[in-house]
Amino acid sequence: MPIPRMYHTEAIVLSRFELGEADRVLTLLTPHEGKIKAIAKGVRRPRSRIGGAVEPFAELELVLARARTFDVITQASVGHAWLSLRDRLESTATAWYLAELSERAVEERAYAYPVYALLRRAYQLLDDGMAPTRVARWFEFGLADALGMRPEVERCVECDRVLEADEEYRWVPVLGGTLCSRHPPPPSEQMPLSLNALKLLRAYRRLDIEAIAGLRLPVAVEAEVESALRRFIRVVLERDARSLAFLDEVRTPRPIRAGTT
Ligand SMILES: [Zn+2]
């Protein structure tokens, strides 16, 4: 049986670029078709039927026609808009960061349902007002897991010994997680890890995000885990995320100028 030319899918926009006078090419994440590139023709014209629908941070309902280079979007509607997510700059910047990680993690036309489900839930959580930094860490952990590279936070990556509370640990992303104190620090990129940071990493592994959201945590411990997971993701995806610079910029508190009221 020939593959039908038209198909329907849910999709989340990961990135987009303008093409020609009025078209836009979208990179989409879908539950069953994986990552696809699709063209929205005439979308930048004011009277475009699909223009308003094909925006990021929404779950879209699309009908597409298969084509040689880019599939063509023939119908679009918003299935689920996460409008509150856009109210805060940090949530929006985090949403772009998660979209970029998803785009890099998934191959075109490859099975990607776990990543789709993860991104969908992350956007829902951001929209619900959960702290963006917790959502981002939960997503990073889940993404590594979905790619079969879950960080090891229970045992030593070298000797497989269960990590005890009264020792020192190192975080070594290229080895897959935590290294115990019995081994010399490796030449690869690594950082010391405090017991509290290890506990928080374990919480990300064991607990649901709703439980993690309720934890009261020292800023320094959150910062340590952020650094550890970002380094881990850099190794998993083999590069830095471009959107991190923007995210860090919007999170930096503006200096208060002396002498002004
Ligand atoms: Zn060890």
Side-chain angles (χ1 to χ4, degrees):
M1 212 171 71
I3 299 169
R5 190 165 168 264
M6 308 291 285
Y7 64 102
H8 166 268
T9 183
E10 281 126 28
I12 298 174
V13 175
L14 298 178
S15 65
R16 54 193 181 169
F17 64 87
E18 322 271 278
L19 188 71
E21 291 280 299
D23 301 344
R24 188 170 280 156
V25 175
L26 307 166
T27 302
L28 303 166
L29 186 63
T30 69
H32 305 294
E33 303 270 338
K35 186 172 76 177
I36 54 178
K37 281 206 161 55
I39 186 163
K41 287 189 173 166
V43 76
R44 285 150 56 210
R45 294 205 179 95
R47 292 173 66 188
S48 161
R49 280 182 301 117
I50 54 176
V54 288
E55 293 293 318
F57 319 143
E59 187 174 52
L60 311 176
E61 302 282 342
L62 301 177
V63 177
L64 296 110
R66 293 185 201 276
R68 193 164 295 178
T69 340
F70 305 123
D71 287 1
V72 181
I73 297 172
T74 59
Q75 287 177 47
S77 60
V78 176
H80 209 117
W82 294 294
L83 294 174
S84 307
L85 181 162
R86 301 151 211 246
D87 290 350
R88 285 187 304 164
L89 202 49
E90 189 184 347
S91 300
T92 313
T94 301
W96 278 122
Y97 170 58
L98 304 186
E100 186 187 352
L101 294 189
S102 304
E103 181 164 357
R104 294 202 190 287
V106 175
E107 304 285 329
E108 284 189 39
R109 303 281 179 191
Y111 175 74
Y113 183 76
V115 179
Y116 184 85
L118 199 66
L119 186 65
R120 190 185 188 288
R121 177 125 191 253
Y123 282 0
Q124 181 66 58
L125 293 165
L126 288 172
D127 193 60
D128 290 344
M130 191 175 286
T133 178
R134 302 256 170 115
V135 177
R137 302 295 82 75
W138 171 82
F139 183 90
E140 288 162 343
F141 213 111
L143 185 67
D145 201 2
L147 298 175
M149 299 171 80
R150 179 160 71 186
E152 178 56 66
V153 292
E154 308 289 342
R155 293 169 175 272
C156 170
V157 288
E158 203 67 74
C159 66
D160 204 36
R161 201 166 52 81
V162 174
L163 300 162
E164 305 290 344
D166 59 350
E167 60 180 312
E168 290 183 353
Y169 331 97
R170 296 204 158 266
W171 183 251
V172 192
V174 291
L175 294 182
T178 321
L179 186 71
C180 84
S181 52
R182 291 187 183 173
H183 321 282
S188 50
E189 192 193 330
Q190 40 107 1
M191 61 182 264
L193 200 65
S194 71
L195 177 60
N196 283 335
L198 181 64
K199 284 181 177 169
L200 180 54
L201 285 164
R202 285 177 169 176
Y204 277 108
R205 162 149 154 50
R206 292 173 183 170
L207 303 180
D208 189 74
I209 181 66
E210 303 285 350
I212 293 168
L215 299 174
R216 290 174 66 89
L217 297 164
V219 174
V221 174
E222 290 215 76
E224 205 182 331
V225 165
E226 174 174 299
S227 174
L229 283 177
R230 281 188 180 186
R231 288 169 197 228
F232 200 90
I233 284 294
R234 191 189 306 147
V235 167
V236 169
L237 300 182
E238 296 172 342
R239 62 202 292 179
D240 268 320
R242 282 172 303 161
S243 51
L244 271 181
F246 176 57
L247 174 57
D248 288 340
E249 194 181 310
V250 305
R251 289 168 64 202
T252 310
R254 292 213 187 100
I256 299 161
R257 280 185 299 163
T260 56
T261 48

